[in-house]
């Protein structure tokens, strides 16, 4: 089964897609719409998911994350997988599609948040951002803003991006902290000049916060 799936993935590879992805730090060459279609056909297969992950191939790992059962992984296995997931897309799908649905998510959030590896720490911040939006009870939001204000400017790229997302989410979801979140963004100017496609919202936190709040206000009855 594994050999057949790997052969199918190989047949879906497109050098043009690889070239685009490599500019973003990724190395897979499969169109993600086609990858999702393959996952839909395979359905959930935990044993195959583990075999695909073990190949180390990025496309195979992305497919594994689509056909796995998130709750089937224990805490140690998820921690190992995160440390193995060095390309951005695999890292993001692992956190977003699997870890967030795991009963170990909060325990891992706390452990990863303070990890010395900035890529691992970025996963802790991503899980924290999810809580800021969905379950903020128990989070120290002023403390998070303190950490962002002190460390985001000089953080490595992946960690900086995750901290910036958390900053924006605090400003968007929590009006009592909005002015401070915007002020931090304006002072640090992180991602202020990030190239943004027409119709997309800038990741620069003050603009991001303002646009999301405006949309929410426009949608309100």
């Amino acid at each position: 089964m594994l050999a057949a799936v790997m052969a199918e993935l190989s047949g879906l590879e497109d050098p043009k897609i690889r070239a685009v992805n490599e500019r973003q730090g990724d190395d897979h060459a499969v169109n993600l719409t086609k990858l999702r279609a393959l996952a839909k056909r395979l359905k959930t297969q935990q044993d195959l998911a583990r075999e695909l992950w073990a190949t180390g191939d990025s496309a195979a790992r992305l497919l594994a994350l689509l056909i796995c059962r998130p709750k089937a992984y224990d805490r140690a296995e998820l921690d190992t997988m995160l440390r193995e997931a060095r390309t951005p897309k695999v890292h993001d799908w692992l956190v977003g599609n699997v870890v967030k649905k795991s009963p170990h998510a909060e325990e891992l959030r706390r452990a990863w948040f303070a990890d010395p590896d900035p890529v691992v720490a970025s996963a802790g911040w991503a899980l924290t951002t999810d809580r800021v939006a969905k379950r903020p009870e128990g989070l120290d939001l002023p403390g998070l803003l303190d950490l962002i204000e002190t460390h985001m400017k000089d953080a490595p790229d992946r960690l900086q991006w995750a901290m910036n997302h958390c900053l924006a989410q605090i400003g968007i979801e929590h009006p009592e902290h909005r002015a401070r979140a915007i002020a931090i963004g304006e002072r640090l100017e992180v991602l202020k000049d990030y190239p943004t496609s027409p119709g997309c919202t800038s990741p620069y936190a003050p603009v991001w916060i303002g646009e999301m709040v405006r949309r929410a206000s426009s949608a309100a009855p």
Side-chain angles (χ1 to χ4, degrees):
M1 182 66 168
L2 176 63
V5 173
M6 293 300 293
E8 188 164 355
L9 285 173
S10 180
L12 293 174
E13 289 186 357
D14 182 336
K16 293 179 180 178
I17 292 176
R18 187 188 302 280
V20 171
N21 287 333
E22 284 178 345
R23 292 199 292 269
Q24 302 169 341
D26 287 306
D27 60 3
H28 64 278
V30 177
N31 177 285
L32 296 182
T33 299
K34 294 180 179 178
L35 191 76
R36 290 187 178 95
L38 175 56
K40 186 176 181 180
R41 177 158 53 82
L42 290 171
K43 299 185 172 61
T44 301
Q45 297 191 51
Q46 182 63 21
D47 290 342
L48 177 59
R50 283 195 165 98
E51 291 178 346
L52 287 165
W53 184 271
T55 66
D57 177 80
S58 291
R61 285 183 163 181
L62 291 171
L63 180 60
L65 297 172
L66 293 175
I67 67 169
C68 73
R69 288 195 303 275
K71 294 180 180 179
Y73 294 108
D74 63 28
R75 180 193 183 283
E77 193 169 11
L78 289 172
D79 183 75
T80 298
M81 290 170 70
L82 185 82
R83 295 173 193 279
E84 293 173 345
R86 305 313 293 185
T87 62
K89 185 63 71 176
V90 173
H91 179 278
D92 291 346
W93 279 25
L94 174 61
V95 174
N97 294 349
V98 180
V99 179
K100 284 182 181 179
K101 301 174 183 177
S102 164
H104 310 290
E106 178 61 17
E107 186 181 0
L108 289 169
R109 181 190 75 82
R110 293 174 181 272
W112 290 341
F113 189 85
D115 197 278
D117 182 332
V119 176
V120 175
S122 73
W125 277 90
L127 292 170
T128 299
T129 300
D130 191 59
R131 274 203 58 188
V132 166
K134 298 175 181 177
R135 295 182 296 105
E137 298 79 12
L139 288 179
D140 179 7
L141 298 182
L144 288 173
L145 290 173
D146 288 344
L147 288 172
I148 292 167
E149 189 167 24
T150 302
H151 300 292
M152 182 173 73
K153 182 76 171 180
D154 299 317
D157 288 350
R158 294 299 305 280
L159 179 55
Q160 184 184 74
W161 188 273
M163 295 175 80
N164 182 72
H165 191 178
C166 189
L167 173 65
Q169 204 68 53
I170 291 172
I172 293 164
E173 300 288 346
H174 301 279
E176 68 276 22
H177 298 294
R178 186 169 295 151
R180 186 183 174 201
I182 292 171
I184 290 171
E186 289 175 341
R187 186 172 70 80
L188 298 184
E189 297 187 334
V190 168
L191 300 176
K192 184 176 182 179
D193 299 320
Y194 190 85
T196 305
S197 301
C200 296
T201 302
S202 169
Y204 176 48
V207 173
W208 190 354
I209 293 167
E211 177 61 17
M212 292 300 104
V213 171
R214 183 194 66 77
R215 290 184 192 180
S217 298
S218 298

